[in-house]
Amino acid sequence: MCGIIGIVGKNPVNQLLYDGLLVLQHRGQDAAGIVTTDGNTFFMHKNNGLVKDVFQTRHMRSLIGNVGIAHVRYPTAGSSSAAEAQPFYVNSPFGIVLGHNGNLTNSQQLKSEMFRQDLRHINTNSDSEVLLNVLAHEIEKTSRNAVLNTDMAFDAVSGVHKRCKGAYAVVAMIANFGLLAFRDPNGIRPLVIGKLETALGTEYIVASESVALDVLGFQMVRDVEPGEAVFIDMDGNFFSRQCADNPKLNPCIFEYVYLARPDSVIDGVSVYQTRLDMGKSLAEKIKREWSDKKIDVVIPIPDTSRPSALQVGIALGLDYREGFIKNRYIGRTFIMPGQALRKKSVRQKLNPIGIEFKGKNVLLVDDSIVRGTTSQQIVQMARDAGANKVYFASAAPPVRFPNVYGIDMPSRDELLATGRTDEQICQEIGADALIYQDLDALVEGVKLSNPHIKNFDCSCFDGKYVTGDINEAYLNNIETARGDMNKKQKPANSSTQMDLNLIDSFDNEPAEEATEVS
Ligand SMILES: O=P(O)(O)OC[C@H]1O[C@H](OP(=O)(O)OP(=O)(O)O)[C@H](O)[C@@H]1O
Ligand SMILES: NC(=O)CC[C@H](N)C(=O)O
Ligand SMILES: [Mg+2]
C-alpha cells in the first residue's frame, strides 16, 4: 500500500507534491520520489527514506513545472533497494514515468513476455517496473504511425487491463502529453480525483486518499471507478473512460481496518466511521460472550485502534483511557522492513502509564493482530505495569492468509493466526482472554456506509482472492521468495544493480539536484 499523487496545476507543483507525500507517509516509509515536468523534460528525485529526509531544498528547486507525480513506497515486491524507489521511467515511447500502489500477481510471467516478445529489459525485481513497461508497450502499439491522442492512451490502458493481473492504482505522465491515472478492474487499491478552481483555470489532483486533497486545499470530485482511466492534458482538460471489460468494485477491506488514515473517505465510506462501527460490533460480541468477565478499563493500542477502542468503551459503558503513550517520532511498525526492526520498534514506540494498569482488569483493543509483534509485547508491558487481568480484543478477524495485493504479508508461517485456534493465539500473546471481530460483522459494518459496495477483497481473512488467479502453487512461490527469512536484502552497493538504469544514478550519493530526464 504505497501512496501516489498526480497533479496538473497552473503553477509549480513541487511543493504541493511534497506536502501531499507527507500526508500519505503512513502508506509507505521506505522510499519517496517526485517527478515534475515543464512539458519536454522530466525532473526527478527519489531515494530511500522518509519524505522529509529524501527531499532537501536543492532537490525541490530543481523539480520544475506545473505537472507532476509522486510516490511513497512500502515494498511488496522485489527488494527495498533504492533502485526500486518510484516513480519509474522509460524513455520510449515519448518518455513515461509511473507510480504504482498495489501488487501484480503475474509479474514474473509478464517480465519474461516483455523480454522475449516485446524486447524490453526490466532491470529490477519490481513489479511496478514491469507495469510501466506493459503500459509503454501498449501505448507504443496504439500510437504507432500516428500522433498520440487521448483515445489511444485509453486503449493502452485497456491493453494493460488485459495483460496485468492483481492490484494496481496508477499515476503516470507521458512527456509533452499529460497525466494518466487508472485503477485495476477490481478497484482493490483506492484512488480519488479532486479539483481546485483558480483564477488561471481548474487544477486537478489524483491521489491514493482523500486526506491529501483536504490538506492541499482541493475539493473531492469522486473516486476513480474500478477499471476506469482518467487523463488530464497539459492544459488541464479532463477526460475519462471505462477501460475494462468487466469492472467490479472489490476494494481491500484492510484499507478500512488499518492501512488508510481515518480522515479519508474511500469509495464513499468514511474510514473513521467504519472504525467506530468496528468498535460497536466488537463490543456487542464482548457483551454476548464475556458476560462473566469484569473489565475495569478499555485501553487502545495507538494509533490505528483508537476510534474502535473508543467505541468499545462507550458501548460497554466503561472508561476509555490512554494507557500507552506513543512516541510521535516513530512511524508505523507493521510496514517496517524485517521482523527484528519491527520488534524493536514496538517497545520504542509505546510506553505504558503505570496508574492506568496497576491492579486493574484491562481490555486492550487493537485494530488487528497480524504477526503478533505488537500484541505479544503490549500484553507483557501491561503485566509489567501491574495489570491484574489483561484481556485483548481485535477489531478485525484473525489474519490467516497472505496478502498478494500490496500488503507485505506474503508468508503463512509469519501470520500468528495461521494454523492456530483462538485459544492458542491467546496463549501466544500471553493474554488472559482474546476476542476477535467476526468477518461478517466487519463486512456489514463497512457496507453500512455504502450499501452499493457488494463485495470486498477480504483475502487475508478468508483466503478468497478476488482476481481468481491465486492458487496453492502461487502462495508457495511468494512464501519462498518473500517470507521474512528469504527476502532479498538491500544490495550493499545498490548502484551495481543500476548501472544500466539511467534514472537510478540518484542512488549513489544524494544528487545536488533533481536529475533531468529528457
Ligand atoms: O500483529 P502485528 O504484526 O504487530 O501487526 C498489527 C499491528 O501493527 C499495526 O500498528 P503500527 O504500529 O504499524 O501502526 P499504527 O501506529 O497506525 O497503529 C496495527 O495497527 C497493529 O497494531
Ligand atoms: N505497497 C505497494 O503498493 C507497493 C508497490 C510495488 N509493488 C512495490 O513493491 O514497489
Ligand atoms: Mg497499531
Side-chain angles (χ1 to χ4, degrees):
M1 54 125 195
C2 304
I4 55 176
I5 312 175
I7 301 178
V8 178
K10 298 293 176 190
N11 285 301
V13 287
N14 51 357
Q15 191 64 44
L16 282 177
L17 290 167
Y18 177 90
D19 293 345
L21 284 187
L22 279 181
V23 178
L24 296 181
Q25 185 79 82
H26 62 284
R27 296 186 70 86
Q29 302 171 164
D30 261 50
I34 295 178
V35 188
T36 57
T37 183
D38 59 357
N40 289 324
T41 307
F42 288 136
F43 304 92
M44 174 179 312
H45 182 69
K46 60 178 183 174
N47 212 334
N48 281 131
L50 295 172
V51 176
K52 69 176 177 37
D53 300 322
V54 168
F55 299 98
Q56 270 108 58
T57 309
R58 61 183 188 277
H59 307 125
M60 295 300 292
R61 278 205 198 104
S62 311
L63 292 165
I64 298 162
N66 295 357
V67 180
I69 62 171
H71 189 270
V72 278
R73 182 170 190 235
Y74 157 61
T76 58
S79 72
S80 49
S81 150
E84 294 175 23
Q86 300 192 34
F88 275 105
Y89 166 76
V90 278
N91 63 0
S92 175
F94 310 111
I96 307 173
V97 284
L98 173 143
H100 166 214
N101 172 208
N103 207 59
L104 298 189
T105 52
N106 63 340
S107 64
Q108 283 314 317
Q109 178 206 328
L110 287 169
K111 191 172 178 176
S112 76
E113 272 177 33
M114 286 278 113
F115 186 69
R116 284 183 289 102
Q117 295 168 20
D118 304 337
L119 310 183
R120 285 178 173 269
H121 172 67
I122 314 287
N123 202 45
T124 68
N125 289 312
S126 163
D127 59 327
S128 311
E129 194 187 358
V130 173
L131 178 59
L132 169 59
N133 277 274
V134 174
L135 176 66
H137 181 79
E138 294 301 318
I139 291 177
E140 193 173 310
K141 248 173 42 188
T142 60
S143 63
R144 196 168 289 152
N145 306 323
V147 180
L148 179 64
N149 63 32
T150 310
D151 278 331
M152 291 171 190
F154 288 150
D155 289 344
V157 175
S158 297
V160 169
H161 289 331
K162 289 196 174 72
R163 290 183 80 177
C164 293
K165 296 225 167 354
Y168 46 96
V170 169
V171 288
M173 275 192 305
I174 307 170
N176 241 323
F177 191 53
L179 179 90
L180 179 66
F182 50 95
R183 207 171 166 196
D184 67 70
N186 288 292
I188 296 175
R189 295 279 153 240
L191 196 62
V192 296
I193 307 164
K195 71 175 181 181
L196 177 65
E197 302 300 345
T198 74
L200 298 172
T202 309
E203 299 189 324
Y204 283 97
I205 185 170
V206 181
S208 295
E209 290 185 33
S210 61
V211 62
L213 281 47
D214 298 344
V215 172
L216 300 183
F218 283 72
Q219 284 96 48
M220 174 86 169
V221 176
R222 62 179 176 85
D223 296 87
V224 176
E225 299 289 320
E228 186 188 29
V230 303
F231 178 76
I232 303 136
D233 69 19
M234 301 296 285
D235 296 325
N237 299 304
F238 181 96
F239 307 86
S240 67
R241 193 173 101 185
Q242 178 52 257
C243 298
D245 291 338
N246 191 18
K248 259 193 203 115
L249 183 59
N250 287 302
C252 171
I253 204 150
F254 212 68
E255 291 279 350
Y256 299 101
V257 169
Y258 165 72
L259 302 179
R261 259 178 61 149
D263 41 349
S264 283
V265 177
I266 298 177
D267 291 315
V269 176
S270 152
V271 175
Y272 177 73
Q273 183 62 51
T274 64
R275 289 185 188 159
L276 291 177
D277 292 339
M278 286 173 213
K280 205 165 154 221
S281 52
L282 186 58
E284 280 158 17
K285 188 169 176 189
I286 292 171
K287 274 191 212 158
R288 280 197 311 273
E289 299 196 0
W290 279 3
S291 53
D292 58 326
K293 294 191 178 30
K294 186 190 162 298
I295 300 166
D296 296 317
V297 61
V298 177
I299 294 179
I301 299 175
D303 254 336
T304 300
S305 71
R306 278 197 173 117
S308 302
L310 176 66
Q311 199 60 29
V312 168
I314 291 169
L316 294 179
L318 293 169
D319 278 352
Y320 163 93
R321 306 300 283 260
E322 294 280 351
F324 291 103
I325 297 305
K326 175 177 165 282
N327 180 337
R328 69 182 70 207
Y329 302 102
I330 307 251
R332 296 183 114 181
T333 53
F334 176 71
I335 62 172
M336 288 175 179
Q339 185 59 4
L341 181 61
R342 288 191 284 262
K343 223 167 171 170
K344 182 167 158 243
S345 303
V346 172
R347 193 61 189 89
Q348 289 178 333
K349 174 171 164 168
L350 298 168
N351 197 42
I353 295 188
I355 52 166
E356 292 298 355
F357 293 91
K358 203 156 184 49
K360 295 184 186 170
N361 294 347
V362 298
L363 172 61
L364 307 183
V365 179
D366 208 349
D367 52 271
S368 58
I369 302 171
V370 183
R371 296 180 178 89
T373 323
T374 308
S375 40
Q376 275 165 341
Q377 293 189 57
I378 279 289
V379 169
Q380 191 54 50
M381 278 188 235
R383 291 207 189 283
D384 293 345
N388 181 39
K389 294 269 185 204
V390 182
Y391 302 126
F392 204 99
S394 164
V399 175
R400 292 210 155 92
F401 300 90
N403 186 286
V404 297
Y405 300 131
I407 311 173
D408 194 30
M409 36 196 200
S411 164
R412 282 162 287 194
D413 300 349
E414 290 167 25
L415 304 174
L416 188 65
T418 306
R420 289 193 177 91
T421 62
D422 290 4
E423 291 70 37
Q424 289 167 327
I425 301 165
C426 183
Q427 261 177 26
E428 286 289 324
I429 66 171
D432 292 297
L434 166 68
I435 197 159
Y436 277 110
Q437 180 91 263
D438 291 327
L439 182 54
D440 287 350
L442 172 64
V443 170
E444 289 315 311
V446 184
K447 273 186 183 169
L448 270 183
S449 303
N450 182 0
H452 297 299
I453 308 180
K454 300 286 175 238
N455 194 44
F456 293 89
D457 174 70
C458 301
S459 52
C460 59
F461 302 121
D462 63 9
K464 294 179 189 149
Y465 295 88
V466 292
T467 51
D469 57 334
I470 304 305
N471 55 24
E472 193 59 23
Y474 183 89
L475 294 179
N476 288 338
N477 274 344
I478 53 160
E479 226 153 61
T480 312
R482 287 200 60 78
D484 258 342
M485 304 300 292
N486 310 321
K487 227 169 243 172
K488 285 192 188 69
Q489 296 302 311
K490 243 181 233 187
N493 174 4
S494 320
S495 62
T496 51
Q497 193 188 335
M498 299 187 294
D499 286 341
L500 292 173
N501 191 330
L502 288 172
I503 290 184
D504 292 324
S505 53
F506 315 111
D507 187 45
N508 300 324
E509 280 294 298
E512 274 307 301
E513 49 188 35
T515 300
E516 258 179 46
V517 188
S518 43

